[in-house]
C-alpha cells in the first residue's frame, strides 16, 4: 500500500515535503513528478515487484499514474486481456487497461485501490476507488483548483489554510461514528464514495458509480450455498497471499479471523505468523485465550500482545494524528498498538476478517430487528398506538429502542440528537439530507446487510483499519471482501442465511476448519476497556474538555452533556461520550 497526492496548480509549496507527510503509508520510496504544471507524488510500501522499475509516479507514453492498493488478479488480467507489460507490477496493468478500454475497465479489477491516471493528451484526471471503500481518496475542487490525496493533511498544506468545520459531517459522525461520503469534517474537502470514479476535465468534475451490490436470489439450496462460500473464500485467501514479502494474519479468536488463518495455514508450506491483542487487566474484554486455541491448532508463530492503561494513554496522540479527523470507534487504539508490534517484527502485510459480520449476519442487532420487523408490518394504526405506549413505559430499555425504531420505520442506527442545542438542531435539520442510498426493496435481511456493508463497514471499519495499519506501514487485506464473495452472499436465499443462529452458513463452513469451541463461543467484538482507562487517567478533565469547546461554540446542550458524562462514569452510554469527547479534543487542536 502507498500514499498518493496530486494537484493541477502550482501552490508554491515544497511538493516533495508535502508528499513525505505520507511517509508512514510508504516508507520504501518517495517520488514526485511534474507534467504541464500538474504535480504528482507517491510514497511506496513495496509489496509486489520490489524492483525500482515499479516505483511511482509511473509514466508510460502520455500517461502518469499514482496508485494506492493491490490488484489481486493482475496476473490473470495480463493473460485474459492480452496486456503487454514491461514491469512485473500491478500498477502497470492499470495503465495498460486504460490504454485498451479508456475508463471502462474498473469492473475487471479484483482488489483494494484508489488511484489517479492523468492523461496529458486529454488533460484529464481519471480517479477511482474500490468497490467497498478499503482505500481512501480525498479531494478538493474549487475555483478551478483540483487536489487529491490518500490523506487530508497534504490537501490542507497545499491549500495553505484550514477550511472551516463541516457541521453536516458532525451530525453524521454523532450517528454513525464517522462522516459519510462525500463529507469530511473540513468544508470542501470531500472523500470519493466507494465503487465510484471521478473525472476532472476542462475544469468540470463528473462522479459516477461503476458498481452496486445486486440482491437477486440465485442460490436456493444449502449445499450449493456452502460450497460456493467455501470455494470462493479459499480462493480469495489464496489470491491475497500474492506478495514478495511475508504475509501474516490478525487472529482475534473469532470465527472470521480463525477461518482465514486456518485456510492460510493449509495453503502455506511453512508456519504462518498470527497476531492478537489483549489486556493485562480487564480480562473480560480479552480474546487472547481463544486466539491461542486456534494458533495451537494451526501451529502458527503466534504473538499475543498484552496492553495496559499506560500503553493506551501514551499512544492516544499518535492515534488521533493518524486518524486526521474524529472517528469514534475506540478499537482504533488497540489496533494501532498491534500493527505497531507487527511492524517491529518486520511484517508488511496481514490478512484481516472485516466483512463477514455484514455479509453473513453476525451482529446480534440483526436478530433483534428481524424479531419485530414482520410483527410491526401487520399492526393497524390503533395497535401501533398501543404498542407505542408500551415502548414509552419501557423507558431506555434496548429492546424498547428496537421496537420503537421498527414501528416508526426508522433507521436502526442510534443517534443522540438531544446533544444539540435547539437552535443548532433546527439548522442541522435544514442541512442534513435523508439517507439516500438505493436500498434493496422490501426484504429486511438485504436491507440490514446492505446498509451495514455500505455504512458501518465501508465508512467506519475499513477507514479505521486502513489508517491505523498504514500509520505503522502495515497493509491489511480482507478476503471476505472479494467482490465475488460479496455478490454470492447477497445472491443466497435469505431464509438460508438467517438459519437458527448468527452466521449460520459461515459456521457450517467453519466446522471443517476450526475447533468447535471457537464456533460455539459467544461473540465479543473488538472491545477494550477504553472507558475505564480514560476515566481512571483523566477523571473530571474529560468533562472539562467538552465544556471548554461548548463554551466556545454553543454547539451542544449542556444538560445533556452532563447526562452523558454521568452515565459514562458508570460505563453506560460510553461510546456516545467517547464520540463527543474525541470531537472536542480534535476541535480544540484544529480551531482553537
Amino acid at each position: 500500500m502507498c500514499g498518493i497526492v496530486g494537484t493541477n496548480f502550482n501552490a508554491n509549496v515544497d511538493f516533495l515535503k508535502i508528499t513525505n507527510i505520507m511517509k508512514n503509508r510508504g516508507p520504501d520510496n518517495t517520488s514526485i513528478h511534474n507534467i504541464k504544471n500538474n504535480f504528482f507524488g507517491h510514497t511506496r510500501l513495496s509489496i509486489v515487484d520490489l524492483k525500482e522499475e515499479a516505483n511511482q509516479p509511473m509514466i508510460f507514453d502520455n500517461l502518469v499514474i499514482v496508485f494506492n492498493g493491490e490488484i489481486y488478479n493482475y496476473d490473470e488480467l495480463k493473460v485474459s486481456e492480452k496486456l503487454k507489460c514491461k514491469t512485473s507490477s500491478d500498477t502497470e496493468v492499470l495503465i495498460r487497461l486504460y490504454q485498451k478500454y479508456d475508463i471502462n475497465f474498473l469492473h475487471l479489477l479484483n482488489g483494494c485501490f484508489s488511484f489517479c491516471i492523468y492523461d496529458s493528451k486529454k488533460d484529464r484526471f481519471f480517479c477511482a476507488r474500490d468497490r467497498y471503500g478499503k482505500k481512501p481518496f480525498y479531494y478538493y475542487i474549487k475555483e478551478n483548483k483540483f487536489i487529491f490525496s490518500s490523506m487530508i493533511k497534504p490537501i490542507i498544506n497545499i491549500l495553505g489554510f484550514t477550511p472551516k468545520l463541516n457541521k453536516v459531517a458532525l451530525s453524521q459522525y454523532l450517528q454513525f461514528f464517522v462522516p459519510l461520503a462525500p463529507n469530511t469534517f473540513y468544508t470542501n474537502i470531500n472523500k470519493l464514495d466507494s465503487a465510484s470514479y471521478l473525472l476532472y476535465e476542462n475544469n468540470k468534475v463528473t462522479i459516477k458509480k461503476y458498481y452496486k451490490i445486486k440482491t437477486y436470489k440465485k442460490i436456493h439450496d444449502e449445499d450449493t450455498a456452502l460450497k460456493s462460500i467455501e470455494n470462493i473464500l479459499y480462493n480469495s485467501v489464496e489470491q491475497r497471499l500474492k506478495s514478495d514479502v511475508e504475509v501474516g494474519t490478525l487472529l482475534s479468536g473469532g470465527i472470521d479471523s480463525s477461518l482465514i488463518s486456518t485456510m492460510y495455514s493449509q495453503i502455506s508450506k511453512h508456519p504462518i505468523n498470527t497476531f492478537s491483542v489483549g489486556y493485562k487487566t480487564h480480562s473480560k474484554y480479552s480474546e487472547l485465550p481463544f486466539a491461542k486455541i486456534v494458533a495451537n491448532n494451526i501451529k502458527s508463530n503466534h504473538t499475543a500482545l498484552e496492553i495496559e492503561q499506560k500503553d493506551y494513554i501514551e499512544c492516544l496522540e499518535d492515534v488521533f494524528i493518524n486518524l486526521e479527523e474524529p472517528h469514534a470507534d475506540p478499537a482504533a487504539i488497540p489496533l494501532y498498538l498491534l500493527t505497531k508490534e507487527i511492524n517491529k517484527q518486520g511484517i508488511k502485510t496481514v490478512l484481516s476478517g472485516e466483512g463477514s459480520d455484514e455479509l453473513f449476519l453476525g451482529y446480534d442487532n440483526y436478530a433483534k430487528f428481524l424479531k419485530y420487523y414482520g410483527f410491526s408490518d401487520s399492526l393497524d394504526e390503533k395497535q401501533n398506538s398501543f404498542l407505542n405506549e408500551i415502548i414509552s413505559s419501557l423507558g431506555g430499555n434496548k429492546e424498547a429502542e428496537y421496537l420503537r425504531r421498527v414501528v416508526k420505520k426508522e433507521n436502526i442506527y442510534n443517534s443522540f440528537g438531544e446533544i444539540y442545542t435547539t437552535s443548532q438542531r433546527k439548522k442541522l435539520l435544514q442541512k442534513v439530507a435523508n439517507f439516500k442510498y438505493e436500498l434493496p426493496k422490501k426484504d429486511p435481511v438485504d436491507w440490514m446487510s446492505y446498509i451495514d456493508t455500505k455504512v458501518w463497514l465501508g465508512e467506519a471499519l475499513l477507514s479505521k483499519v486502513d489508517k491505523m495499519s498504514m500509520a505503522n506501514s502495515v497493509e491489511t487485506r480482507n478476503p471476505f471482501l472479494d467482490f465475488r464473495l460479496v455478490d454470492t452472499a447477497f445472491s443466497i436465499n435469505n431464509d438460508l442465511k438467517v438459519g437458527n443462529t448468527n452466521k449460520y452458513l459461515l459456521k457450517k463452513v467453519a466446522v471443517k476448519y476450526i475447533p468447535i469451541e471457537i464456533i460455539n463461543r459467544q461473540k465479543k467484538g473488538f472491545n477494550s476497556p477504553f472507558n475505564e482507562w480514560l476515566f481512571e487517567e483523566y477523571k473530571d478533565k474529560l468533562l472539562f474538555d467538552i465544556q471548554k469547546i461548548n463554551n466556545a461554540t454553543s454547539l451542544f446542550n449542556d444538560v445533556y452533556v452532563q447526562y452523558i458524562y454521568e452515565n459514562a462514569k458508570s460505563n453506560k452510554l460510553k461510546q456516545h461520550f467517547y464520540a463527543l469527547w474525541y470531537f472536542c479534543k480534535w476541535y480544540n487542536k484544529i480551531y482553537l
Side-chain angles (χ1 to χ4, degrees):
M1 301 300 174
C2 310
I4 64 175
V5 62
T7 182
N8 71 335
F9 74 103
N10 188 344
N12 197 28
V13 295
D14 184 338
F15 199 72
L16 182 61
K17 185 177 180 181
I18 294 286
T19 304
N20 269 321
I21 290 172
M22 304 180 295
K23 195 69 175 176
N24 281 359
R25 296 189 67 90
D28 296 326
N29 183 73
T30 301
S31 297
I32 61 174
H33 182 69
N34 174 8
I35 178 171
K36 293 185 175 180
N37 213 32
N38 298 298
F39 296 82
F40 301 89
H42 188 269
T43 61
R44 185 182 181 201
L45 180 65
S46 302
I47 304 292
V48 174
D49 189 355
L50 307 184
K51 297 187 289 295
E52 188 176 332
E53 66 180 13
N55 288 342
Q56 300 177 48
M58 186 176 283
I59 304 153
F60 282 103
D61 304 320
N62 60 304
L63 303 176
V64 179
I65 184 172
V66 283
F67 161 52
N68 168 30
E70 301 288 348
I71 307 302
Y72 302 122
N73 63 334
Y74 75 100
D75 275 335
E76 293 92 326
L77 287 171
K78 285 181 183 179
V79 176
S80 64
E81 300 301 323
K82 299 180 175 61
L83 305 178
K84 293 181 180 179
C85 295
K86 297 179 180 179
T87 72
S88 302
S89 71
D90 52 349
T91 308
E92 187 183 351
V93 168
L94 297 176
I95 285 183
R96 302 307 177 193
L97 287 170
Y98 177 85
Q99 288 176 325
K100 184 173 182 178
Y101 294 113
D102 197 62
I103 67 173
N104 301 308
F105 64 87
L106 297 173
H107 64 285
L108 297 173
L109 305 179
N110 188 352
C112 56
F113 57 85
S114 64
F115 65 79
C116 175
I117 295 175
Y118 175 68
D119 187 329
S120 62
K121 278 188 177 179
K122 298 179 179 178
D123 193 22
R124 179 172 76 177
F125 296 82
F126 170 49
C127 311
R129 194 171 176 215
D130 63 64
R131 290 173 177 84
Y132 311 114
K134 288 175 272 189
K135 293 290 103 185
F137 190 94
Y138 298 101
Y139 66 94
Y140 174 96
I141 301 176
K142 191 176 181 182
E143 297 170 345
N144 298 335
K145 293 178 180 178
F146 176 49
I147 314 170
F148 68 87
S149 180
S150 298
M151 295 174 60
I152 295 172
K153 189 175 179 182
I155 297 177
I156 292 175
N157 275 256
I158 291 171
L159 286 174
F161 65 91
T162 301
K164 65 181 182 179
L165 173 68
N166 178 357
K167 291 183 180 179
V168 173
L170 173 59
S171 178
Q172 292 175 337
Y173 164 78
L174 291 175
Q175 297 177 72
F176 305 109
F177 282 5
V178 289
L180 306 182
N183 290 298
T184 73
F185 272 88
Y186 297 94
T187 301
N188 294 323
I189 296 180
N190 297 318
K191 53 187 173 186
L192 183 62
D193 198 4
S194 58
S196 299
Y197 69 81
L198 180 155
L199 287 175
Y200 185 74
E201 189 174 11
N202 299 320
N203 296 322
K204 292 182 180 179
V205 61
T206 302
I207 297 175
K208 289 186 178 180
K209 284 279 184 183
Y210 65 86
Y211 163 85
K212 69 176 182 178
I213 296 171
K214 297 180 178 66
T215 59
Y216 177 74
K217 304 306 173 192
K218 297 187 292 186
I219 300 177
H220 301 283
D221 68 282
E222 189 171 292
D223 284 345
T224 302
L226 295 175
K227 287 176 184 175
S228 297
I229 293 166
E230 181 180 7
N231 291 339
I232 296 172
L233 181 58
Y234 199 91
N235 180 258
S236 176
V237 170
E238 198 167 26
Q239 275 200 328
R240 281 153 184 78
L241 299 178
K242 288 182 180 179
S243 172
D244 293 321
V245 298
E246 183 68 30
V247 179
T249 71
L250 301 181
L251 176 59
S252 69
I255 292 174
D256 314 330
S257 62
S258 299
L259 183 54
I260 287 171
S261 298
T262 303
M263 286 181 169
Y264 177 13
S265 71
Q266 292 184 4
I267 296 166
S268 177
K269 295 177 181 178
H270 55 79
I272 69 171
N273 295 293
T274 54
F275 299 88
S276 304
V277 64
Y279 312 100
K280 290 184 177 179
T281 58
H282 304 85
S283 59
K284 67 178 180 178
Y285 295 110
S286 182
E287 297 186 282
L288 291 181
F290 296 106
K292 186 66 174 174
I293 291 171
V294 178
N296 288 340
N297 192 56
I298 64 176
K299 298 180 173 57
S300 66
N301 300 319
H302 187 60
T303 298
L305 177 68
E306 284 192 288
I307 62 176
E308 53 190 347
Q309 182 175 326
K310 180 174 178 287
D311 304 314
Y312 183 95
I313 298 300
E314 286 181 351
C315 80
L316 279 177
E317 185 64 20
D318 284 343
V319 169
F320 291 171
I321 287 171
N322 283 285
L323 285 172
E324 294 197 286
E325 56 179 344
H327 189 303
D329 185 354
I333 292 91
L335 180 60
Y336 174 84
L337 290 167
L338 181 59
T339 52
K340 189 175 184 179
E341 176 62 29
I342 292 170
N343 174 277
K344 283 181 183 177
Q345 295 195 24
I347 303 293
K348 286 186 172 183
T349 310
V350 290
L351 304 184
S352 188
E354 283 77 25
S356 170
D357 285 314
E358 293 76 14
L359 296 180
F360 298 105
L361 309 180
Y363 297 124
D364 291 340
N365 292 355
Y366 295 152
K368 291 177 181 177
F369 184 80
L370 289 172
K371 180 179 177 183
Y372 298 120
Y373 187 87
F375 172 62
S376 68
D377 266 352
S378 65
L379 298 177
D380 59 27
E381 187 175 340
K382 188 174 181 181
Q383 289 170 317
N384 264 329
S385 177
F386 175 67
L387 186 56
N388 279 324
E389 289 180 25
I390 296 174
I391 293 167
S392 298
S393 71
L394 291 172
N397 184 285
K398 283 186 178 180
E399 294 290 310
E401 175 66 8
Y402 278 99
L403 267 172
R404 182 182 73 78
R405 289 183 175 275
V406 172
V407 168
K408 293 188 176 182
K409 300 296 183 187
E410 293 181 358
N411 197 315
I412 60 172
Y413 280 97
N414 202 355
S415 70
F416 48 116
E418 299 89 342
I419 194 66
Y420 293 112
T421 61
T422 302
S423 61
Q424 287 292 341
R425 195 180 307 136
K426 286 179 179 178
K427 290 177 184 176
L428 283 164
L429 284 173
Q430 292 170 356
K431 281 187 173 184
V432 180
N434 291 328
F435 203 60
K436 288 185 177 178
Y437 291 120
E438 184 181 340
L439 303 178
K441 295 178 181 178
K442 296 183 181 179
D443 195 292
V445 175
D446 287 341
W447 186 88
M448 291 185 299
S449 190
Y450 184 95
I451 287 290
D452 270 345
T453 299
K454 188 74 184 139
V455 179
W456 174 236
L457 176 69
E459 299 282 3
L461 291 185
L462 293 177
S463 65
K464 172 197 71 182
V465 171
D466 176 80
K467 288 172 183 282
M468 292 299 91
S469 61
M470 293 306 291
N472 292 303
S473 307
V474 175
E475 172 196 303
T476 54
R477 298 177 172 184
N478 314 98
F480 282 105
L481 290 177
D482 188 299
F483 78 92
R484 298 168 301 167
L485 185 58
V486 174
D487 288 347
T488 296
F490 275 95
S491 75
I492 296 171
N493 184 289
N494 285 329
D495 289 339
L496 294 179
K497 274 203 288 190
V498 171
N500 57 10
T501 181
N502 63 339
K503 290 188 186 172
Y504 171 74
L505 291 175
L506 198 64
K507 285 179 178 178
K508 287 242 177 180
V509 171
V511 166
K512 294 171 59 176
Y513 294 90
I514 61 179
I516 196 67
E517 58 261 52
I518 300 300
I519 294 172
N520 292 336
R521 59 165 289 202
Q522 184 177 358
K523 181 178 176 60
K524 276 193 175 186
F526 196 23
N527 292 321
S528 70
F530 72 93
N531 196 62
E532 294 92 323
W533 284 345
L534 286 175
F535 274 91
E536 287 169 18
E537 180 71 21
Y538 296 119
K539 301 179 174 61
D540 287 344
K541 186 179 183 303
L542 295 168
L543 180 60
F544 173 81
D545 288 342
I546 299 172
Q547 289 176 331
K548 175 185 175 181
I549 301 307
N550 209 28
N551 289 338
T553 64
S554 299
L555 277 170
F556 306 120
N557 181 328
D558 284 324
V559 175
Y560 199 64
V561 167
Q562 187 74 39
Y563 170 76
I564 292 174
Y565 172 72
E566 293 299 332
N567 272 274
K569 286 198 291 187
S570 303
N571 239 22
K572 301 171 184 175
L573 299 180
K574 58 185 181 181
Q575 289 188 308
H576 292 69
F577 179 77
Y578 180 81
L580 184 58
W581 175 73
Y582 184 2
F583 166 76
C584 291
K585 290 281 287 182
W586 172 83
Y587 189 93
N588 182 67
K589 184 173 182 177
I590 300 299
Y591 292 109
L592 293 186

